[in-house]
Amino acid sequence: MPGTPIRRGDVAKFAIGAAVIAAATGAFAYTAGWLSPGRLTPTRLVAALAPPGGPALGHRRNHAKGICFTGVFESNGKGAELSRAGLLAAGTYPALGRFNLGTADPNAPDATVRVRGLGLQLTAPDGTLWRAAMIDPPFFPVSTPQAFYDLLTASHSKDPEAMKGFIAANPEFGTFVGWAKGAPWTASYAEDAFNSLNAFIFVDASGARHAVRWSYVPQATVTPITDAELTALGPDHLEQEIAQRVASGPQRWNLVITLAEAGDPTNDPSKVWPAGRRTIDAGTLVVQKIEDERDGPCRDINFDPTILPDGIAVSDDPFPAARSAAYARSFNLRTSEVKDYPYNATATTGAKP
Amino acid sequence: MTASAMTRNAVTGRSTSVTPRFSALQRLLHWLMAACILAMLFIGVGMNSTVTPKYLPLVETHKTLGFVILLLALIRLAVRLVVGAPPLPADLPPLIKLGAHLSHYGLYALMIGMPLLGWGMLSAGGYPVVLLGHIQLPAILAPSDALHTVLWNAHFYLAFAFFGLIALHAGAALFHGFIRRDGVLESMASVSAPREATRPGK
Ligand code: HEM
Ligand code: HEM
Ligand code: HEM
């Protein structure tokens, strides 16, 4: 610089400053996970869902086969004792949802998929939302999100020992296999119960917190069938059936909230709570109209179970956070792949409301 | 620029013989926002690379702090337009001067643009935008897959551009302060009382 020779002390200060910038860049890369290839990120968790042939572009990365519905939630006000959420005060609120099958393949035949799901969004008058995604088994196959990832990896592995190793490390999975093999099937979404499985915290008007799980229990008569009988009904029976059934009359589910007692595990959806817990019937979900996913209102919704109104919060259950991260990743991918989504393909189901 | 330097001096109450500095309010905003923005960048990449329970509080903090940054940035821009900035050293090569000005425009654009992209991305994705668990903001865009994708990509790539620009900016500040020793670093350096700085060639 004109007239000012550079001082050694200043060069040292500059060097220290430059080193700080370099260290911050390293810390940034570390935080982003670039230096830890073993970290379980949403990207890896969602990638693990893909079948060996790759994901179905434009579709949900799990629960890919589904059909939309609209209707209402008729709250009877009894849930207000547990939660100050406006949606649990007596009233009728718009509902939007999606019946679905727990598979990454949007064309899977119904009888090949053991887990069925319900994505649901309830809208309060002030616009706040309660989104949920629930399934029909009475408990989840594994205890932690990491174990779910291990299950996906093992089940897609070519190594015949992989599944054995997984089961040895996650004994709770055996209980689920027992349910999957032994539980009866139904021929209709309208006959299935959908369970939150994850525990949530309801906060009442006084601020007191109550750990709960909930289920949407069908009012329809449940007729158990075998998987062979379901196979005989055809690969897309469930969507055709629910479309016809709702066209001839609305279908109903009761929202049954189960209260935990001290010591009940809230952090592990693979463990059912003991029988005899207090339950509250908080209202009725009324499904009034079925619409194809292709043009329906549920397709571009992320039924992220952490989108909760004031008065409902996550618990120490580690799943909702992991699911929120994974569902966002899946949503980002599928919405960026709309060109691959078969808007104009002939409906394979023929299901029309 | 002279006018703005005088305004600044009116604010700091200093004589023109001292290196021109940003007003105390501007320096406060600069360092407060620098801390917030660096935190935001780390929170952003941190939350998107974890599936542990801390994901949820990180996302909530990201949204809330993002809006705080948007508000501060708008206030800061207004202050900048009213109060101005001290002139860059007269002997700074024109190309470097241009670079300095462009990088400042870029930083302002990102400080305001990133939160708007985040807000727009959530709106276009059909998500509610809720701060601190219960402050519900309106959607600024109608749900749209195409828009969501564009904004998501923009928020993602610009976040890294932001980090890179800040690194360059900080490197340049150090270069001014310790190699050129031209008073530019001192013009922003501390939030506290003014300090004498030597300006070469003056
Ligand atoms: C860490 C564990 C889990 C992972 C990684 C996972 C992953 C996913 C993904 C990626 C989707 C698609 C999301 C979208 O694109 O919108 C999805 C949908 C779904 N998941 Fe999960 N899931 C997990 C646990 C659960 C649990 C515990 C339940 C139920 C209690 C559940 C029920 C559902 C349902 C019902 C859907 C369909 C929602 C809809 O119709 O959009 N999942 N899951
Ligand atoms: C998140 C980080 C940062 C942001 C967004 C940021 C933004 C800005 C902006 C927009 C200006 C122009 C001021 C105006 O015209 O109103 C500025 C000036 C300045 N910043 Fe930063 N800054 C950041 C971090 C830093 C750091 C880490 C340093 C120092 C190591 C620094 C040192 C300076 C200096 C010395 C000036 C005055 C430069 C001049 O007038 O040309 N900044 N900063
Ligand atoms: C100065 C402001 C902001 C900065 C510097 C910033 C930075 C970032 C960064 C670094 C990421 C992670 C990118 C990645 O690794 O995938 C990110 C993601 C994200 N940001 Fe921001 N952000 C800002 C403001 C906001 C605001 C105001 C919102 C919403 C209201 C927002 C919503 C999001 C969301 C939802 C994601 C996750 C995107 C995804 O699903 O991949 N951001 N942001």
Side-chain angles (χ1 to χ4, degrees):
Chain A
M1 291 314 111
T4 41
I6 296 170
R7 290 182 301 226
R8 270 177 66 194
D10 279 345
V11 174
K13 281 183 197 156
F14 179 76
I16 292 169
V20 169
I21 297 174
T25 309
F28 189 63
Y30 173 78
T31 310
W34 299 336
L35 310 177
S36 343
R39 190 185 301 172
L40 184 53
T41 61
T43 306
R44 288 182 70 210
L45 184 53
V46 169
L49 284 161
L57 299 182
H59 291 271
R60 283 166 168 80
R61 290 313 197 245
N62 199 10
H63 295 255
K65 184 178 184 182
I67 191 160
C68 302
F69 69 78
T70 51
V72 293
F73 176 66
E74 296 170 349
S75 174
N76 58 25
K78 288 188 196 142
E81 172 197 338
L82 297 178
S83 167
R84 61 177 179 236
L87 288 162
L88 291 171
T92 299
Y93 311 106
L96 157 65
R98 182 171 173 271
F99 295 112
N100 54 67
L101 294 182
T103 169
D105 174 4
N107 301 313
D110 294 348
T112 62
V113 186
R114 187 66 258 221
V115 172
R116 297 180 189 166
L118 170 67
L120 184 64
Q121 165 176 293
L122 305 180
T123 307
D126 67 356
T128 55
L129 303 178
W130 180 6
R131 289 187 184 165
M134 300 152 285
I135 51 179
D136 64 337
F139 43 77
F140 202 64
V142 292
S143 297
T144 61
Q146 176 70 47
F148 188 67
Y149 174 77
D150 295 343
L151 168 62
L152 296 169
T153 321
S155 61
H156 291 148
S157 165
K158 291 205 178 68
D159 175 2
E161 296 302 303
M163 234 14 232
K164 281 187 201 151
F166 170 80
I167 292 169
N170 300 276
E172 74 273 18
F173 186 66
T175 325
F176 181 79
V177 173
W179 173 85
K181 289 202 175 127
W185 299 63
T186 73
S188 175
Y189 281 125
E191 297 175 22
D192 294 329
F194 298 101
N195 310 305
S196 76
L197 301 188
N198 297 131
F200 290 81
I201 302 293
F202 276 16
V203 185
D204 68 24
S206 76
R209 297 161 67 83
H210 313 274
V212 302
R213 288 175 179 165
W214 66 78
S215 300
Y216 281 88
V217 179
Q219 288 186 2
T221 312
V222 182
T223 313
I225 60 163
T226 63
D227 52 344
E229 287 168 316
L230 184 59
T231 308
L233 289 170
D236 302 309
H237 171 76
L238 290 174
E239 295 190 359
Q240 292 156 356
E241 195 273 349
I242 195 70
Q244 282 158 13
R245 192 162 179 150
V246 171
S248 56
Q251 298 298 310
R252 296 185 159 79
W253 285 257
N254 288 27
L255 169 57
V256 178
I257 299 164
T258 305
L259 265 147
E261 283 181 16
D264 288 350
T266 50
N267 63 355
D268 183 349
S270 75
K271 293 198 174 61
V272 290
W273 292 345
R277 293 288 173 265
R278 195 181 151 215
T279 60
I280 288 181
D281 181 338
T284 312
L285 170 66
V286 187
V287 171
Q288 297 166 325
K289 188 178 176 212
I290 297 288
E291 285 177 70
D292 262 0
E293 177 185 88
R294 222 172 37 253
D295 319 298
C298 72
R299 190 190 69 156
D300 294 342
I301 292 206
N302 173 351
F303 293 99
D304 175 337
T306 67
I307 296 180
L308 300 166
D310 179 51
I312 305 181
V314 294
S315 67
D316 60 350
D317 190 325
F319 276 91
R323 294 174 65 190
S324 180
Y327 292 22
R329 173 75 190 157
S330 170
F331 182 83
N332 289 339
L333 291 171
R334 62 187 173 92
T335 50
S336 69
E337 297 160 352
V338 264
K339 65 172 190 334
D340 297 297
Y341 187 92
Y343 265 122
N344 303 314
T346 336
T348 46
T349 64
K352 278 278 176 285
Chain B
M1 277 310 191
T2 333
S4 65
M6 278 161 61
T7 321
R8 183 209 60 251
N9 288 344
V11 170
T12 57
R14 287 183 293 113
S15 80
T16 40
S17 66
V18 178
T19 305
R21 302 178 76 194
F22 283 90
S23 67
L25 176 60
Q26 283 172 303
R27 298 194 312 268
L28 176 73
L29 281 170
H30 176 270
W31 293 111
L32 181 68
M33 291 192 66
C36 290
I37 289 167
L38 282 174
M40 272 306 269
L41 289 163
F42 277 87
I43 292 169
V45 297
M47 71 190 192
N48 259 9
S49 64
T50 186
V51 300
T52 61
K54 60 178 183 268
Y55 173 79
L56 295 174
L58 284 174
V59 171
E60 185 145 320
T61 311
H62 189 82
K63 292 181 195 166
T64 308
L65 191 54
F67 275 96
V68 171
I69 290 172
L70 176 61
L71 290 179
L72 288 176
L74 293 174
I75 295 172
R76 179 166 169 189
L77 184 64
V79 173
R80 174 69 170 76
L81 293 176
V82 173
V83 176
L88 286 170
D91 63 346
L92 205 60
L95 237 120
I96 307 253
K97 249 186 201 161
L98 179 72
H101 286 135
L102 286 181
S103 67
H104 293 170
Y105 282 123
L107 289 167
Y108 269 106
L110 286 164
M111 284 188 284
I112 295 168
M114 283 298 288
L116 290 177
L117 286 171
W119 192 356
M121 159 174 68
L122 289 174
S123 305
Y127 292 96
V129 187
V130 182
L131 307 184
L132 297 174
H134 62 277
I135 304 170
Q136 176 119 4
L137 296 179
I140 50 173
L141 292 171
S144 148
D145 284 338
L147 264 180
H148 176 269
T149 301
V150 169
L151 301 175
W152 170 51
N153 278 311
H155 195 81
F156 178 86
Y157 289 109
L158 288 177
F160 296 102
F162 204 175
F163 189 92
L165 193 53
I166 291 168
L168 271 178
H169 171 77
L174 297 174
F175 187 76
H176 282 289
F178 301 121
I179 307 296
R180 271 187 62 96
R181 282 182 289 128
D182 55 8
V184 168
L185 179 58
E186 287 73 13
S187 74
M188 190 58 97
S190 84
V191 178
S192 60
R195 176 168 24 104
E196 293 287 325
T198 48
R199 256 242 172 136
K202 295 233 159 152

